[in-house]
Amino acid sequence: MSEKIALTPATHTTPPAKFSHGVKKGNILQVAGQVGFLPAVEGQPPTPAGPTLREQTLQTFANVRAILEEGGATWDDVMMMRVYLTDVDHFAEMNEIYNAYFEEQGLNEAPAARTTVYVGLPKGLLIEIDALAVLS
Amino acid sequence: MSEKIALTPATHTTPPAKFSHGVKKGNILQVAGQVGFLPAVEGQPPTPAGPTLREQTLQTFANVRAILEEGGATWDDVMMMRVYLTDVDHFAEMNEIYNAYFEEQGLNEAPAARTTVYVGLPKGLLIEIDALAVLS
Amino acid sequence: MSEKIALTPATHTTPPAKFSHGVKKGNILQVAGQVGFLPAVEGQPPTPAGPTLREQTLQTFANVRAILEEGGATWDDVMMMRVYLTDVDHFAEMNEIYNAYFEEQGLNEAPAARTTVYVGLPKGLLIEIDALAVLS
């Protein structure tokens, strides 16, 4: 019997509704859809890291990672990454950024599975990512 | 060794294909994508609760909840909600409905994580939600 | 304490980025988004099984199944199928193919839950499917 706990990194903007940025229960950790918002600044609305796919993707990774760490997990624990892009033409560039990032992170276990689909996102946002992790 | 069981609330319309409205295996419960269909009426096709986002969202919540209950779970067990909307302009209103609903449900544990994306849905449907729960 | 292992059927094309076609950790198995690519041929780019929904759907099923088998799982272990189509008008035909396929596979347990949404996919692809399985 384990309790579900919210994972709320101090740097994160307040969710726009009654949901958690991440939750953990037993060995399952779920990260909510993250976008490229910079660390929260008191009194300011959420602001994307920049207009480019690169800026937003790297910030999104940082935001996912902060939630994993808050729950005692690392990228190695991630089973599935869901990547939502707004434009099929961004696929190749996203993959380059993705590969370089995870090369740098130095995974010890198999890379996570991934699904990438093309959807609508709020104006100005080019990427959203959520993740499912299973802790050891 | 646990068996996978189908969760089929009596009120639910028959799935349009060979899938289950929900399944449970061990402590994992997965709710299939639910939409705002009213309780099934013998001999009638599935009918949305109404044309508005509010009507459909509340009915969708009821449909998800019926599956959770069929599996002995509650909203407190839900780790992840995936919300599919058809229109970015519905985000604020959906959040209001979402917040009011979960306020009323009186969660005891952390709210679930959530991802919201904007996709196509069958004509007349404005929202679809699926959910992953981990039972205690 | 269990390790995360990559599931890489010999027939599969190399993923276009640093992700695994499937991963397994403990009793959780996640299949990455699969499309209708034929078995890999050395030195050739990934090629869809054909231009039709039927050809691509059946090949996608085969690709998902190969990953399940690589991880010692079967369709009976699948909890959730996420089906991404590009066109709402494909829903009825996909369901027919889906039903016939799973009829033929002869499931022993409850069919998996499912969510179907309509998104953008890379040019030429009509369907993508990912799957979450829980092993017994």
Side-chain angles (χ1 to χ4, degrees), chain A residues 4 18 20 25 33 84 120 130, chain B residues 78 82 99 109-111 115 134:
Chain A
K4 180 174 60 166
K18 202 175 169 50
S20 300
K25 188 173 183 177
Y84 301 98
D130 61 47
Chain B
V78 176
R82 293 187 180 279
N99 290 349
E109 300 198 33
T115 289
V134 175

Side-chain angles (χ1 to χ4, degrees), chain A residues 4-27:
Chain A
K4 180 174 60 166
I5 57 166
L7 305 173
T8 313
T11 49
H12 273 47
T13 54
T14 306
K18 202 175 169 50
F19 68 84
S20 300
H21 278 302
V23 290
K24 186 184 170 183
K25 188 173 183 177
N27 68 332

Side-chain angles (χ1 to χ4, degrees), chain C:
Chain C
M1 179 107 177
S2 51
E3 206 190 343
K4 180 174 61 167
I5 57 166
L7 306 173
T8 312
T11 49
H12 272 47
T13 54
T14 306
K18 202 175 168 52
F19 67 85
S20 301
H21 278 303
V23 289
K24 186 182 171 186
K25 188 172 182 177
N27 67 334
I28 307 281
L29 189 163
Q30 175 73 55
V31 176
Q34 299 295 304
V35 295
F37 288 150
L38 289 167
V41 176
E42 183 80 29
Q44 283 183 22
T47 307
T52 68
L53 183 65
R54 172 171 298 276
E55 291 163 305
Q56 292 193 15
T57 302
L58 292 175
Q59 186 63 47
T60 301
F61 284 146
N63 292 343
V64 171
R65 185 181 152 166
I67 296 165
L68 293 171
E69 288 178 352
E70 192 77 16
T74 72
W75 285 118
D76 273 322
D77 298 307
V78 176
M79 300 288 284
M80 182 63 164
M81 303 271 281
R82 294 186 180 280
V83 178
Y84 301 97
L85 294 176
T86 59
D87 188 339
V88 173
D89 288 342
H90 288 168
F91 187 57
E93 186 187 353
M94 185 274 291
N95 279 334
E96 271 180 48
I97 301 165
Y98 195 98
N99 290 349
Y101 179 82
F102 285 107
E103 197 68 49
E104 201 181 285
Q105 296 291 310
L107 300 179
N108 294 312
E109 300 198 33
R114 197 184 79 182
T115 290
T116 305
V117 290
Y118 305 87
V119 301
L121 292 178
K123 196 169 151 51
L125 298 178
L126 302 177
I127 187 166
E128 179 164 350
I129 298 179
D130 61 48
L132 175 69
V134 174
L135 282 83
S136 295

